[in-house]
Each structure stands twice: as structure tokens, then as C-alpha cells.
Amino acid sequence: CGGNANAPRPERQCAGVLSTRATRRSRCVAVLTGGSCARVCVAARVLQPFHEAVDENEVPDYYQVIKDPIDLTTMESRLGNGYYKSKDMFIADLKRMCANAKKYNAQDTIYYRCAVNVEQFIAAKLDSLFPE
């Protein structure tokens, strides 16, 4: 989320990213990026904090603050079982995921910055990701 000049280029990471646990969520990431390998890899990095539900043992007060949690694993499941009847439903979950991260985390955290990056990505790519 924060730029790292020493990080490997996304194109070189594709094989590694797509062959890891993230593969299960690749459908969600592919929907968000339009499927390009480089875009999927960049998105996978930006979306990494949102892949799994927040662990209550690690963050005991999270579910006291966030009453309607969502994560990419849940969204992937919803994609697979036909829950999303429209692009607006999918986008609403994505926006809620970002809003939750911004509500719980301070502005100077990686989680907050990732949420902002995802929101900016959605705003910039919405029409091309979900044509009518």
C-alpha cells in the first residue's frame, strides 16, 4: 500500500502470488482488476490486509467497534454462491470493507492507507470494471 522502491516489480511476482493461498480469492481480485496479470498482482498486494476476517484473538475489540464486518474470503464465497445479484451489491461490500478499515484503524496505519488505495482504485476503475 505504501510504495516500496525495493519491492519486486508486480510482473515478476505474478507466478508467486497466483500460486499461493490467494489463488482461492483470485476470482475476487480478477473481478476488481479486469484480470490482467500485473493488475492482479498489484491488487493482491493492496488487498492483502482484507483477505481474511479479523481474528478476534488478535484484535479483541474489533467486533465491538465493527458491527458489520466483511472480508475478501466472504466476498469470494458470495461470488461463488450467486449472492451478488448486481454489481452494486458487490461494490457495496467492497466499500463497506474499506469503511470498516478506516473506522477501526488510525490514519497513519497501513490498514487505513490500504483502504484509501482500494477506494481510489474503485473510483478510478468502476466503469471499466463493471460495464453496463
Side-chain angles (χ1 to χ4, degrees), residues 6-130:
N6 297 323
R9 295 179 49 89
E11 297 81 13
R12 294 186 186 144
Q13 292 182 7
C14 285
V17 169
L18 297 178
S19 64
T20 65
R21 275 180 34 184
T23 304
R24 290 180 300 191
R25 287 170 292 284
S26 62
R27 183 173 175 198
C28 229
V29 174
V31 166
L32 293 173
T33 62
S36 155
C37 184
R39 284 183 291 188
V40 167
C41 291
V42 169
R45 272 199 318 223
V46 171
L47 294 168
Q48 192 281 327
F50 308 113
H51 280 213
E52 305 289 332
V54 172
D55 185 338
E56 194 169 11
N57 293 320
E58 293 178 20
V59 190
D61 68 336
Y62 183 80
Y63 294 101
Q64 294 168 0
V65 175
I66 302 300
K67 301 298 183 190
D68 194 12
I70 189 74
D71 58 84
L72 290 176
T73 298
T74 301
M75 292 178 69
E76 174 68 16
S77 175
R78 288 177 173 188
L79 275 172
N81 69 25
Y83 171 86
Y84 296 114
K85 303 299 181 199
S86 70
K87 70 177 182 180
D88 292 333
M89 290 177 70
F90 180 81
I91 292 166
D93 271 356
L94 199 56
K95 288 181 177 180
R96 180 165 42 102
M97 183 178 72
C98 295
N100 288 347
K102 289 170 62 179
K103 179 178 182 179
Y104 186 82
N105 298 285
Q107 289 183 354
D108 63 344
T109 63
I110 188 78
Y111 306 107
Y112 192 99
R113 287 192 308 268
C114 282
V116 169
N117 287 344
V118 172
E119 287 175 330
Q120 290 171 347
F121 178 81
I122 294 167
K125 300 291 185 182
L126 195 58
D127 290 334
S128 64
L129 292 175
F130 299 102

